[in-house]
Amino acid sequence: MDLGKFVVQVLFFCFCMLVQLNSCYCSKKESSILLTLKAQHISSMSIPKAPNRVAFHHNVSLTVSLTVGSPPQQVTMVLDTGSELSWLHCNRTPNTLSLFNPQLSTSYSPVPCSSPTCRTRTRDFTVPVSCDPKNLCHAILSYADASSVEGNLATDTFAVENSSMPGLVFGCMDSGSSSTPEEDAKTTGLIGMNRGSLSFVSQMGFRQFSYCISGRDSSGVLLFGAANFPWLGPLKYTPLIQMSTPLPYFDRVAYTVQLEGIKVSDTVLPLPKSVFVPDHTGAGQTMVDSGTQFTFLLGPVYTALKNEFVKQTRGVLRLLNEPNFVFQGAMDLCYLVELSRATLPPLPAVALMFQGAEMSVAGEKLLYKVPGATRGTDGIYCFTFGNSDLLGIEAYVIGHHHQQNIWVEFDLAQSRLGWAEVRCDLASQRLGLGH
Protein backbone atom coordinates (compact mmCIF):
# COMPACT_ATOMS: atom_id res chain seq x y z
CA MET A 1 0.00 0.00 0.00
CA ASP A 2 1.01 3.64 -0.33
CA LEU A 3 0.22 7.08 0.99
CA GLY A 4 -0.99 8.47 -2.29
CA LYS A 5 2.29 9.40 -3.83
CA PHE A 6 2.34 9.11 -7.57
CA VAL A 7 4.82 9.00 -10.37
CA VAL A 8 3.45 10.29 -13.64
CA GLN A 9 5.20 9.08 -16.75
CA VAL A 10 5.05 11.68 -19.46
CA LEU A 11 5.31 10.92 -23.17
CA PHE A 12 5.89 13.89 -25.44
CA PHE A 13 4.12 14.43 -28.73
CA CYS A 14 5.41 17.55 -30.49
CA PHE A 15 3.54 19.11 -33.32
CA CYS A 16 6.19 21.72 -34.01
CA MET A 17 9.35 20.94 -35.91
CA LEU A 18 10.97 24.36 -35.55
CA VAL A 19 11.81 26.06 -32.27
CA GLN A 20 13.16 29.58 -32.15
CA LEU A 21 15.04 31.00 -29.18
CA ASN A 22 12.11 32.20 -27.10
CA SER A 23 9.07 30.49 -28.56
CA CYS A 24 7.92 27.69 -30.78
CA TYR A 25 6.13 28.18 -34.07
CA CYS A 26 4.38 25.97 -36.60
CA SER A 27 3.80 27.94 -39.77
CA LYS A 28 2.70 31.28 -38.28
CA LYS A 29 0.91 29.99 -35.23
CA GLU A 30 2.26 29.15 -31.80
CA SER A 31 2.46 25.39 -31.47
CA SER A 32 1.32 23.13 -28.71
CA ILE A 33 3.24 20.34 -27.04
CA LEU A 34 0.89 17.61 -25.88
CA LEU A 35 1.79 15.03 -23.26
CA THR A 36 0.08 12.05 -21.71
CA LEU A 37 0.20 11.53 -17.97
CA LYS A 38 -0.04 8.09 -16.45
CA ALA A 39 -0.41 7.90 -12.69
CA GLN A 40 0.94 4.94 -10.80
CA HIS A 41 1.35 4.32 -7.09
CA ILE A 42 4.80 3.98 -5.58
CA SER A 43 5.96 2.64 -2.27
CA SER A 44 5.07 4.45 0.94
CA MET A 45 8.62 3.73 2.12
CA SER A 46 9.58 7.04 0.51
CA ILE A 47 7.23 9.07 2.72
CA PRO A 48 9.10 11.11 5.35
CA LYS A 49 8.52 9.61 8.79
CA ALA A 50 8.75 12.84 10.78
CA PRO A 51 5.30 13.49 12.28
CA ASN A 52 5.40 17.22 11.65
CA ARG A 53 6.46 17.19 8.02
CA VAL A 54 4.75 16.50 4.73
CA ALA A 55 6.63 16.20 1.45
CA PHE A 56 5.54 19.19 -0.59
CA HIS A 57 7.72 18.21 -3.51
CA HIS A 58 7.48 14.92 -5.33
CA ASN A 59 4.10 13.88 -3.87
CA VAL A 60 2.99 13.96 -7.47
CA SER A 61 5.90 13.73 -9.84
CA LEU A 62 5.38 14.49 -13.50
CA THR A 63 8.43 12.84 -14.96
CA VAL A 64 9.50 14.11 -18.35
CA SER A 65 11.85 12.27 -20.68
CA LEU A 66 13.94 14.59 -22.84
CA THR A 67 17.51 15.11 -24.00
CA VAL A 68 20.11 17.66 -22.94
CA GLY A 69 23.44 18.56 -24.51
CA SER A 70 25.32 17.97 -27.76
CA PRO A 71 25.38 15.10 -28.54
CA PRO A 72 22.09 14.58 -26.67
CA GLN A 73 22.00 12.76 -23.34
CA GLN A 74 18.72 11.16 -22.23
CA VAL A 75 17.44 12.50 -18.89
CA THR A 76 14.28 12.12 -16.80
CA MET A 77 13.13 15.23 -14.96
CA VAL A 78 10.39 15.97 -12.43
CA LEU A 79 7.94 18.67 -13.54
CA ASP A 80 7.25 21.06 -10.64
CA THR A 81 4.94 24.09 -10.82
CA GLY A 82 6.22 25.22 -7.42
CA SER A 83 9.84 25.67 -8.53
CA GLU A 84 11.71 28.09 -10.78
CA LEU A 85 15.14 26.78 -11.75
CA SER A 86 15.42 23.52 -13.67
CA TRP A 87 18.34 21.39 -12.58
CA LEU A 88 20.18 18.14 -13.27
CA HIS A 89 22.40 15.87 -11.20
CA CYS A 90 25.87 16.34 -12.67
CA ASN A 91 27.90 14.37 -10.13
CA ARG A 92 27.52 10.66 -9.46
CA THR A 93 26.74 9.74 -5.85
CA PRO A 94 25.70 6.42 -4.26
CA ASN A 95 22.03 7.54 -4.52
CA THR A 96 22.21 8.90 -8.07
CA LEU A 97 21.26 6.38 -10.75
CA SER A 98 20.89 8.91 -13.56
CA LEU A 99 22.96 11.99 -14.25
CA PHE A 100 23.96 14.51 -16.90
CA ASN A 101 27.66 14.63 -17.80
CA PRO A 102 28.54 18.19 -18.86
CA GLN A 103 32.03 17.11 -20.01
CA LEU A 104 30.44 15.13 -22.84
CA SER A 105 28.43 18.11 -24.16
CA THR A 106 30.03 20.56 -26.59
CA SER A 107 27.15 23.03 -26.10
CA TYR A 108 27.47 23.13 -22.29
CA SER A 109 28.56 26.48 -20.87
CA PRO A 110 28.87 27.46 -17.18
CA VAL A 111 27.42 30.82 -16.11
CA PRO A 112 30.02 33.23 -14.62
CA CYS A 113 29.24 35.36 -11.57
CA SER A 114 29.62 38.55 -13.64
CA SER A 115 26.85 37.62 -16.08
CA PRO A 116 23.45 39.41 -15.98
CA THR A 117 21.84 35.98 -15.55
CA CYS A 118 23.65 35.45 -12.27
CA ARG A 119 23.35 39.03 -11.03
CA THR A 120 19.73 39.87 -11.85
CA ARG A 121 17.68 36.85 -12.94
CA THR A 122 18.21 34.92 -9.70
CA ARG A 123 16.59 37.53 -7.47
CA ASP A 124 13.65 35.29 -6.52
CA PHE A 125 15.78 32.39 -5.33
CA THR A 126 15.17 31.63 -1.65
CA VAL A 127 18.93 31.47 -1.00
CA PRO A 128 20.98 34.19 -2.77
CA VAL A 129 23.49 32.93 -5.32
CA SER A 130 27.21 33.23 -4.67
CA CYS A 131 30.57 32.90 -6.46
CA ASP A 132 32.51 29.67 -6.28
CA PRO A 133 36.36 29.59 -6.35
CA LYS A 134 36.26 29.53 -10.17
CA ASN A 135 34.04 32.66 -10.27
CA LEU A 136 31.07 30.62 -11.45
CA CYS A 137 27.49 31.32 -10.36
CA HIS A 138 26.74 28.99 -7.44
CA ALA A 139 23.19 28.20 -6.29
CA ILE A 140 21.61 26.37 -3.38
CA LEU A 141 17.97 25.34 -3.81
CA SER A 142 15.98 24.25 -0.77
CA TYR A 143 12.46 22.84 -0.64
CA ALA A 144 9.65 22.61 1.90
CA ASP A 145 10.21 18.88 2.40
CA ALA A 146 13.71 19.66 3.76
CA SER A 147 15.49 18.44 0.61
CA SER A 148 18.09 20.59 -1.14
CA VAL A 149 20.52 20.62 -4.08
CA GLU A 150 23.65 22.64 -4.71
CA GLY A 151 25.74 23.43 -7.77
CA ASN A 152 26.47 25.91 -10.54
CA LEU A 153 24.27 27.61 -13.10
CA ALA A 154 24.95 26.69 -16.71
CA THR A 155 23.37 26.75 -20.18
CA ASP A 156 22.85 23.95 -22.67
CA THR A 157 20.44 22.70 -25.32
CA PHE A 158 17.24 21.03 -24.09
CA ALA A 159 15.31 19.01 -26.66
CA VAL A 160 11.96 17.25 -26.77
CA GLU A 161 11.38 15.06 -29.82
CA ASN A 162 12.39 17.36 -32.71
CA SER A 163 11.97 20.59 -30.74
CA SER A 164 15.03 22.10 -29.11
CA MET A 165 15.93 25.09 -26.99
CA PRO A 166 19.58 26.19 -27.14
CA GLY A 167 21.07 28.16 -24.29
CA LEU A 168 18.52 27.19 -21.65
CA VAL A 169 19.69 28.17 -18.15
CA PHE A 170 19.65 25.36 -15.59
CA GLY A 171 21.47 24.17 -12.49
CA CYS A 172 24.23 21.60 -12.85
CA MET A 173 24.08 20.18 -9.33
CA ASP A 174 26.87 18.22 -7.69
CA SER A 175 25.51 17.67 -4.17
CA GLY A 176 22.32 17.69 -2.14
CA SER A 177 20.12 15.96 0.40
CA SER A 178 16.71 14.37 -0.08
CA SER A 179 13.81 13.33 2.12
CA THR A 180 12.88 10.69 -0.50
CA PRO A 181 16.24 9.40 -1.78
CA GLU A 182 14.86 6.14 -3.17
CA GLU A 183 12.44 7.94 -5.45
CA ASP A 184 14.64 10.91 -6.30
CA ALA A 185 17.33 8.47 -7.46
CA LYS A 186 15.02 7.42 -10.30
CA THR A 187 15.14 10.84 -11.95
CA THR A 188 17.95 13.02 -13.28
CA GLY A 189 16.60 16.32 -12.03
CA LEU A 190 13.69 18.76 -11.97
CA ILE A 191 11.97 21.14 -14.40
CA GLY A 192 10.81 24.34 -12.72
CA MET A 193 7.44 25.61 -13.96
CA ASN A 194 6.59 28.68 -11.86
CA ARG A 195 6.47 32.32 -12.99
CA GLY A 196 10.13 33.13 -12.45
CA SER A 197 12.25 34.38 -15.35
CA LEU A 198 14.42 31.24 -15.26
CA SER A 199 11.56 28.72 -15.21
CA PHE A 200 11.20 26.30 -18.11
CA VAL A 201 7.92 27.92 -19.19
CA SER A 202 9.42 31.42 -19.16
CA GLN A 203 12.55 30.44 -21.06
CA MET A 204 10.62 28.44 -23.67
CA GLY A 205 8.29 31.40 -24.18
CA PHE A 206 5.02 29.55 -23.62
CA ARG A 207 2.30 31.88 -22.37
CA GLN A 208 -0.15 29.10 -21.50
CA PHE A 209 -0.05 25.58 -20.19
CA SER A 210 -2.65 23.21 -18.80
CA TYR A 211 -2.91 19.87 -17.06
CA CYS A 212 -5.63 17.43 -16.19
CA ILE A 213 -4.83 14.93 -13.43
CA SER A 214 -6.86 11.74 -13.27
CA GLY A 215 -8.20 10.47 -9.99
CA ARG A 216 -6.96 6.90 -10.26
CA ASP A 217 -4.43 4.86 -12.23
CA SER A 218 -5.60 6.29 -15.56
CA SER A 219 -4.37 8.71 -18.15
CA GLY A 220 -4.25 12.46 -17.85
CA VAL A 221 -2.98 15.32 -19.98
CA LEU A 222 -0.27 17.98 -19.85
CA LEU A 223 -0.33 20.64 -22.54
CA PHE A 224 2.02 23.50 -23.38
CA GLY A 225 0.17 26.08 -25.47
CA ALA A 226 -3.48 27.00 -25.93
CA ALA A 227 -6.24 24.48 -25.18
CA ASN A 228 -8.54 25.00 -28.13
CA PHE A 229 -10.63 21.85 -27.94
CA PRO A 230 -14.33 21.83 -28.89
CA TRP A 231 -15.17 19.30 -26.17
CA LEU A 232 -13.66 21.47 -23.40
CA GLY A 233 -16.39 23.63 -21.91
CA PRO A 234 -15.93 27.26 -20.84
CA LEU A 235 -13.43 27.72 -18.03
CA LYS A 236 -14.03 29.71 -14.87
CA TYR A 237 -11.22 32.19 -14.26
CA THR A 238 -9.73 33.93 -11.27
CA PRO A 239 -6.89 36.49 -11.50
CA LEU A 240 -3.32 35.55 -10.66
CA ILE A 241 -2.11 37.85 -7.89
CA GLN A 242 1.18 39.67 -8.42
CA MET A 243 3.23 41.37 -5.74
CA SER A 244 5.89 43.82 -6.90
CA THR A 245 7.31 44.52 -3.43
CA PRO A 246 9.49 41.77 -1.93
CA LEU A 247 7.99 40.49 1.33
CA PRO A 248 9.62 37.91 3.62
CA TYR A 249 6.80 35.32 3.47
CA PHE A 250 5.38 35.97 -0.01
CA ASP A 251 6.52 33.83 -2.93
CA ARG A 252 6.34 36.31 -5.83
CA VAL A 253 6.79 33.70 -8.57
CA ALA A 254 4.25 31.17 -7.26
CA TYR A 255 0.83 30.80 -8.88
CA THR A 256 -1.06 32.90 -6.34
CA VAL A 257 -4.82 33.45 -6.35
CA GLN A 258 -7.15 35.19 -3.90
CA LEU A 259 -9.19 32.86 -1.72
CA GLU A 260 -12.20 34.80 -0.42
CA GLY A 261 -14.21 32.24 1.50
CA ILE A 262 -15.19 28.62 2.00
CA LYS A 263 -18.60 27.03 2.25
CA VAL A 264 -19.77 23.59 3.33
CA SER A 265 -22.88 22.68 1.39
CA ASP A 266 -24.76 26.01 1.48
CA THR A 267 -23.19 27.28 4.71
CA VAL A 268 -20.49 29.91 4.25
CA LEU A 269 -17.95 29.82 7.06
CA PRO A 270 -18.43 32.92 9.27
CA LEU A 271 -14.96 34.33 8.67
CA PRO A 272 -13.95 37.85 7.63
CA LYS A 273 -12.38 38.11 4.17
CA SER A 274 -9.34 39.66 5.80
CA VAL A 275 -8.20 36.26 7.11
CA PHE A 276 -7.59 35.20 3.50
CA VAL A 277 -5.56 38.27 2.54
CA PRO A 278 -1.75 38.23 2.92
CA ASP A 279 -0.56 40.41 5.79
CA HIS A 280 2.22 43.01 5.74
CA THR A 281 4.86 40.24 5.82
CA GLY A 282 3.28 38.34 2.90
CA ALA A 283 2.07 35.51 5.09
CA GLY A 284 -1.31 34.13 4.06
CA GLN A 285 -1.03 33.95 0.26
CA THR A 286 -2.99 31.22 -1.55
CA MET A 287 -0.88 29.10 -3.90
CA VAL A 288 -1.96 26.51 -6.46
CA ASP A 289 0.70 23.79 -6.56
CA SER A 290 0.61 20.52 -8.48
CA GLY A 291 3.53 19.29 -6.36
CA THR A 292 1.52 19.34 -3.14
CA GLN A 293 -0.81 16.42 -2.52
CA PHE A 294 -3.55 17.80 -0.27
CA THR A 295 -4.88 21.27 0.54
CA PHE A 296 -3.65 23.17 3.59
CA LEU A 297 -5.33 26.10 5.31
CA LEU A 298 -4.09 28.47 8.00
CA GLY A 299 -5.15 27.47 11.51
CA PRO A 300 -8.25 29.63 12.15
CA VAL A 301 -9.74 28.82 8.73
CA TYR A 302 -8.92 25.13 9.03
CA THR A 303 -10.55 24.97 12.48
CA ALA A 304 -13.73 26.67 11.21
CA LEU A 305 -13.94 24.29 8.24
CA LYS A 306 -13.26 21.26 10.41
CA ASN A 307 -15.97 22.20 12.91
CA GLU A 308 -18.59 22.82 10.21
CA PHE A 309 -17.79 19.59 8.37
CA VAL A 310 -18.03 17.62 11.61
CA LYS A 311 -21.35 19.30 12.36
CA GLN A 312 -22.82 18.49 8.94
CA THR A 313 -21.61 14.88 8.92
CA ARG A 314 -22.75 14.02 12.44
CA GLY A 315 -24.75 10.81 12.20
CA VAL A 316 -23.28 10.09 8.76
CA LEU A 317 -19.63 9.52 9.62
CA ARG A 318 -18.03 8.09 12.77
CA LEU A 319 -15.12 10.10 14.20
CA LEU A 320 -11.90 8.21 14.90
CA ASN A 321 -11.48 10.05 18.25
CA GLU A 322 -7.75 9.36 18.56
CA PRO A 323 -6.09 12.73 19.28
CA ASN A 324 -2.61 11.36 18.56
CA PHE A 325 -3.54 10.15 15.08
CA VAL A 326 -2.52 12.98 12.73
CA PHE A 327 -2.15 11.88 9.13
CA GLN A 328 1.00 13.29 7.47
CA GLY A 329 1.47 15.61 10.42
CA ALA A 330 -1.30 18.07 9.54
CA MET A 331 -4.58 16.20 9.02
CA ASP A 332 -6.22 15.49 12.35
CA LEU A 333 -9.85 14.96 11.27
CA CYS A 334 -10.23 11.26 10.59
CA TYR A 335 -13.13 8.82 10.49
CA LEU A 336 -13.89 5.12 10.79
CA VAL A 337 -15.55 3.63 7.71
CA GLU A 338 -16.56 -0.02 7.34
CA LEU A 339 -14.13 -1.91 5.13
CA SER A 340 -17.12 -3.65 3.57
CA ARG A 341 -18.45 -0.38 2.11
CA ALA A 342 -17.98 -0.06 -1.64
CA THR A 343 -18.51 3.71 -1.61
CA LEU A 344 -18.56 6.55 0.89
CA PRO A 345 -21.91 7.83 2.18
CA PRO A 346 -23.23 11.10 0.71
CA LEU A 347 -21.14 14.00 2.01
CA PRO A 348 -21.59 17.78 1.97
CA ALA A 349 -19.48 19.42 -0.73
CA VAL A 350 -16.82 21.96 0.22
CA ALA A 351 -16.50 24.95 -2.11
CA LEU A 352 -13.37 27.09 -2.24
CA MET A 353 -14.56 30.59 -3.14
CA PHE A 354 -12.08 32.59 -5.20
CA GLN A 355 -12.35 35.98 -6.79
CA GLY A 356 -14.67 35.33 -9.74
CA ALA A 357 -14.92 31.54 -9.46
CA GLU A 358 -15.47 28.58 -7.15
CA MET A 359 -13.79 25.19 -6.98
CA SER A 360 -15.96 22.40 -5.62
CA VAL A 361 -14.52 19.50 -3.64
CA ALA A 362 -17.06 16.72 -3.36
CA GLY A 363 -17.50 12.97 -2.96
CA GLU A 364 -14.38 10.83 -2.71
CA LYS A 365 -12.08 13.86 -2.95
CA LEU A 366 -13.18 14.87 0.58
CA LEU A 367 -11.79 11.81 2.37
CA TYR A 368 -8.59 9.85 1.80
CA LYS A 369 -8.22 6.24 2.90
CA VAL A 370 -5.05 5.82 4.90
CA PRO A 371 -3.38 2.72 3.43
CA GLY A 372 -2.85 -0.10 5.91
CA ALA A 373 -4.57 1.71 8.78
CA THR A 374 -7.48 -0.26 10.24
CA ARG A 375 -9.40 -0.56 13.49
CA GLY A 376 -11.08 -3.96 13.57
CA THR A 377 -13.43 -4.13 10.59
CA ASP A 378 -13.07 -0.41 9.88
CA GLY A 379 -10.69 1.52 7.67
CA ILE A 380 -9.42 4.99 8.55
CA TYR A 381 -10.30 7.87 6.25
CA CYS A 382 -8.97 11.39 6.80
CA PHE A 383 -10.33 14.75 5.71
CA THR A 384 -8.26 15.97 2.76
CA PHE A 385 -7.80 19.48 4.15
CA GLY A 386 -4.91 19.98 6.58
CA ASN A 387 -3.67 22.61 9.00
CA SER A 388 -0.82 24.73 7.59
CA ASP A 389 0.13 25.81 11.12
CA LEU A 390 1.12 22.23 12.00
CA LEU A 391 3.55 22.27 9.07
CA GLY A 392 5.03 25.67 9.84
CA ILE A 393 3.74 26.92 6.47
CA GLU A 394 2.49 30.53 6.44
CA ALA A 395 0.23 30.04 3.41
CA TYR A 396 -2.84 28.43 1.93
CA VAL A 397 -1.85 25.70 -0.54
CA ILE A 398 -4.29 24.12 -3.01
CA GLY A 399 -2.93 20.65 -3.72
CA HIS A 400 -3.37 18.31 -6.66
CA HIS A 401 -5.81 15.98 -4.88
CA HIS A 402 -8.48 18.66 -5.16
CA GLN A 403 -7.49 19.34 -8.77
CA GLN A 404 -8.23 15.81 -9.94
CA ASN A 405 -10.58 15.57 -12.91
CA ILE A 406 -10.35 19.31 -13.43
CA TRP A 407 -8.81 20.91 -16.48
CA VAL A 408 -6.49 23.53 -14.95
CA GLU A 409 -5.17 26.28 -17.22
CA PHE A 410 -2.31 28.61 -16.30
CA ASP A 411 -2.82 31.62 -18.57
CA LEU A 412 0.28 33.74 -18.14
CA ALA A 413 -0.60 36.04 -21.05
CA GLN A 414 -3.74 37.29 -19.27
CA SER A 415 -2.45 36.61 -15.75
CA ARG A 416 -5.26 34.30 -14.73
CA LEU A 417 -5.96 30.75 -13.65
CA GLY A 418 -8.87 28.87 -15.16
CA TRP A 419 -10.53 25.53 -14.58
CA ALA A 420 -13.43 23.35 -15.65
CA GLU A 421 -14.54 19.95 -14.41
CA VAL A 422 -13.77 17.19 -16.90
CA ARG A 423 -13.08 13.46 -16.90
CA CYS A 424 -9.33 13.49 -17.43
CA ASP A 425 -9.19 9.91 -18.67
CA LEU A 426 -11.78 10.79 -21.33
CA ALA A 427 -9.88 13.97 -22.21
CA SER A 428 -6.81 11.83 -22.78
CA GLN A 429 -8.76 9.51 -25.07
CA ARG A 430 -10.23 12.41 -27.05
CA LEU A 431 -6.72 13.71 -27.65
CA GLY A 432 -5.56 10.31 -28.82
CA LEU A 433 -3.38 9.79 -25.77
CA GLY A 434 -5.39 7.03 -24.07
CA HIS A 435 -4.23 3.56 -23.20
Side-chain angles (χ1 to χ4, degrees):
M1 302 298 289
D2 70 353
L3 290 182
K5 295 185 63 177
F6 302 89
V7 163
V8 182
Q9 298 173 328
V10 179
L11 303 177
F12 277 77
F13 293 83
C14 296
F15 302 127
C16 179
M17 304 298 290
L18 176 64
V19 175
Q20 297 183 356
L21 183 60
N22 291 320
S23 57
C24 178
Y25 295 87
C26 270
S27 298
K28 295 183 179 180
K29 295 181 180 180
E30 182 179 319
S31 77
S32 296
I33 297 179
L34 185 64
L35 312 86
T36 72
L37 310 182
K38 289 198 179 285
Q40 66 183 65
H41 296 275
I42 59 178
S43 172
S44 62
M45 292 299 291
S46 61
I47 297 288
K49 301 303 180 184
N52 61 345
R53 182 176 300 144
V54 63
F56 273 81
H57 290 261
H58 316 311
N59 277 349
V60 138
S61 295
L62 308 180
T63 62
V64 180
S65 294
L66 63 157
T67 63
V68 180
S70 306
Q73 299 177 43
Q74 191 77 24
V75 297
T76 302
M77 303 179 72
V78 173
L79 195 80
D80 187 357
T81 61
S83 297
E84 177 175 0
L85 184 71
S86 302
W87 57 264
L88 294 166
H89 291 294
C90 293
N91 183 40
R92 187 171 299 280
T93 67
N95 292 325
T96 304
L97 303 179
S98 174
L99 59 80
F100 170 72
N101 189 340
Q103 296 179 345
L104 300 180
S105 175
T106 58
S107 51
Y108 174 86
S109 178
V111 173
C113 290
S114 58
S115 72
T117 295
C118 186
R119 288 188 286 109
T120 63
R121 298 182 69 188
T122 60
R123 63 183 182 184
D124 290 311
F125 287 14
T126 305
V127 180
V129 295
S130 60
C131 276
D132 76 354
K134 296 181 180 180
N135 287 321
L136 299 179
C137 193
H138 189 78
I140 299 174
L141 307 179
S142 58
Y143 300 99
D145 66 350
S147 62
S148 64
V149 288
E150 183 173 351
N152 292 334
L153 296 194
T155 63
D156 212 329
T157 298
F158 281 60
V160 181
E161 295 287 319
N162 294 315
S163 300
S164 64
M165 173 66 180
L168 190 137
V169 180
F170 71 106
C172 197
M173 303 308 191
D174 52 23
S175 64
S177 62
S178 173
S179 61
T180 57
E182 300 90 349
E183 297 309 320
D184 290 347
K186 298 176 182 178
T187 60
T188 322
L190 178 146
I191 288 186
M193 291 285 291
N194 71 12
R195 305 170 76 186
S197 68
L198 292 180
S199 77
F200 187 78
V201 171
S202 297
Q203 293 192 68
M204 288 296 286
F206 284 109
R207 303 303 294 155
Q208 257 184 22
F209 71 94
S210 307
Y211 57 65
C212 196
I213 304 171
S214 296
R216 300 185 184 275
D217 290 346
S218 52
S219 296
V221 177
L222 175 65
L223 174 74
F224 290 98
N228 298 318
F229 306 123
W231 48 263
L232 183 61
L235 274 61
K236 299 175 289 187
Y237 288 98
T238 190
L240 288 170
I241 305 301
Q242 303 198 55
M243 182 76 70
S244 58
T245 305
L247 297 173
Y249 294 107
F250 193 95
D251 185 346
R252 293 191 297 168
V253 290
Y255 294 106
T256 301
V257 292
Q258 185 56 64
L259 183 63
E260 295 188 333
I262 299 176
K263 62 182 179 182
V264 183
S265 191
D266 294 325
T267 302
V268 178
L269 300 183
L271 296 167
K273 284 190 177 182
S274 59
V275 303
F276 300 104
V277 178
D279 65 18
H280 66 284
T281 69
Q285 75 182 111
T286 300
M287 299 181 286
V288 178
D289 185 4
S290 67
T292 300
Q293 185 172 8
F294 299 110
T295 293
F296 298 94
L297 309 171
L298 291 182
V301 176
Y302 170 75
T303 299
L305 173 60
K306 172 183 173 181
N307 290 342
E308 184 61 32
F309 190 79
V310 168
K311 176 182 176 182
Q312 293 196 26
T313 55
R314 190 169 291 124
V316 177
L317 293 172
R318 290 179 293 138
L319 285 166
L320 176 63
N321 285 325
E322 292 183 19
N324 293 327
F325 191 96
V326 181
F327 180 51
Q328 292 200 2
M331 301 157 74
D332 61 359
L333 177 55
C334 299
Y335 295 93
L336 294 172
V337 178
E338 298 91 341
L339 292 169
S340 58
R341 285 194 70 104
T343 60
L344 292 171
L347 300 173
V350 174
L352 302 175
M353 304 160 66
F354 299 97
Q355 183 180 339
E358 291 185 4
M359 180 181 289
S360 178
V361 180
E364 293 187 354
K365 287 196 284 188
L366 287 164
L367 297 181
Y368 183 80
K369 185 178 181 181
V370 180
T374 59
R375 298 293 186 270
T377 59
D378 296 322
I380 296 178
Y381 287 71
C382 292
F383 194 42
T384 52
F385 291 84
N387 188 341
S388 294
D389 292 3
L390 295 179
L391 298 174
I393 305 295
E394 295 288 337
Y396 300 93
V397 183
I398 312 300
H400 74 81
H401 186 82
H402 293 161
Q403 300 173 49
Q404 291 176 359
N405 287 317
I406 296 177
W407 186 278
V408 183
E409 177 186 276
F410 297 79
D411 186 348
L412 306 182
Q414 300 190 56
S415 191
R416 62 183 185 173
L417 182 77
W419 60 84
E421 293 188 8
V422 65
R423 279 274 302 276
C424 294
D425 54 344
L426 296 183
S428 177
Q429 293 175 19
R430 290 188 180 104
L431 294 169
L433 303 178
H435 299 290

